[in-house]
Amino acid sequence: MEITSIIGNIAATLTTMSFLPQAVKTIKSKDTGSLSFPMYLMFVMGVLLWLIYGTLNRQMPIIIGNLVTLLLAGIILMFMLRDQLRKKRNQDSGSRI
Amino acid sequence: MEITSIIGNIAATLTTMSFLPQAVKTIKSKDTGSLSFPMYLMFVMGVLLWLIYGTLNRQMPIIIGNLVTLLLAGIILMFMLRDQLRKKRNQDSGSRI
């Protein structure tokens, strides 16, 4: 394998798998306080489009890489959505008092 | 432009720019409590390798996209490194008492 291909493969593995420790930390701590909601919303939408792009071009590495990232970033986004809903519910019940 | 190219361009813009709101939030709040240090370490290393890959292959979109991501994710990693060092220093001074 060429040196550039090896570099590209390591790069793809690192950027894809980097979301694993964040997902594990978020699942364990259930704390999303310093995570940015717009970041995960934009990121998950972007990864979803990469998945469509890979499917239309039948590029398996793009499909697999983005499926893994979508799963991991999607879990983090779900936790953030839950926190956002909880915050909104608390605000609503607070304003009724 | 073909529909797949348009989807690819929107995908790249979204995943690249998603780190902007996280960097802004981290700079403003200086809170990195729920961010994963291994995630940002792996991610920044991966983006650095993508930059080398793009440079070796002379692919300008890969170079520019990863330069922007490196800057944004690098800022977040710097804040986390500062917090890690501060925590270590506090532990050291605590163990000396």
Side-chain angles (χ1 to χ4, degrees):
Chain A
M1 209 193 282
E2 258 189 279
I3 183 76
T4 47
S5 300
I6 296 171
I7 292 173
N9 283 334
I10 301 173
T13 308
L14 279 171
T15 49
T16 300
M17 293 316 292
S18 66
F19 283 87
L20 182 63
Q22 180 67 68
V24 170
K25 179 168 181 159
T26 306
I27 291 167
K28 276 190 184 167
S29 69
K30 291 178 186 65
D31 173 23
T32 64
S34 46
L35 297 179
S36 161
F37 185 66
M39 168 185 163
Y40 279 91
L41 202 61
M42 285 170 77
F43 192 79
V44 164
M45 281 167 59
V47 170
L48 206 62
L49 288 180
W50 273 129
L51 199 60
I52 295 169
Y53 175 90
T55 310
L56 289 173
N57 285 320
R58 292 163 198 251
Q59 285 185 277
M60 222 36 187
I62 293 185
I63 296 172
I64 294 169
N66 283 288
L67 260 181
V68 175
T69 314
L70 186 66
L71 177 75
L72 296 171
I75 290 171
I76 300 164
L77 185 64
M78 282 302 132
F79 273 91
M80 302 193 76
L81 274 171
R82 204 186 57 167
D83 284 357
Q84 294 274 329
L85 282 173
R86 211 173 266 176
K87 216 185 285 173
K88 207 188 148 355
R89 214 178 300 148
N90 286 343
Q91 275 174 351
D92 286 351
S93 65
S95 65
R96 251 182 271 127
I97 297 170
Chain B
M1 210 193 282
E2 258 190 279
I3 185 76
T4 49
S5 300
I6 295 171
I7 292 173
N9 282 334
I10 301 174
T13 307
L14 280 171
T15 49
T16 300
M17 293 317 291
S18 66
F19 283 87
L20 183 64
Q22 180 65 68
V24 170
K25 179 168 182 161
T26 307
I27 291 168
K28 276 190 183 168
S29 69
K30 290 178 186 68
D31 173 23
T32 64
S34 45
L35 297 178
S36 161
F37 185 66
M39 168 185 164
Y40 278 92
L41 201 62
M42 283 170 78
F43 192 79
V44 164
M45 280 167 58
V47 170
L48 205 64
L49 288 179
W50 272 129
L51 199 61
I52 295 169
Y53 175 89
T55 310
L56 289 173
N57 286 321
R58 292 164 199 250
Q59 285 185 277
M60 222 38 189
I62 294 185
I63 296 174
I64 293 170
N66 283 286
L67 260 181
V68 175
T69 314
L70 186 65
L71 178 75
L72 296 171
I75 290 172
I76 300 164
L77 185 64
M78 283 302 130
F79 272 91
M80 302 194 76
L81 273 171
R82 203 186 58 167
D83 284 357
Q84 295 274 328
L85 282 173
R86 212 173 266 175
K87 216 186 285 171
K88 207 189 148 356
R89 215 179 298 147
N90 286 344
Q91 276 174 349
D92 286 351
S93 65
S95 65
R96 252 183 270 127
I97 297 169

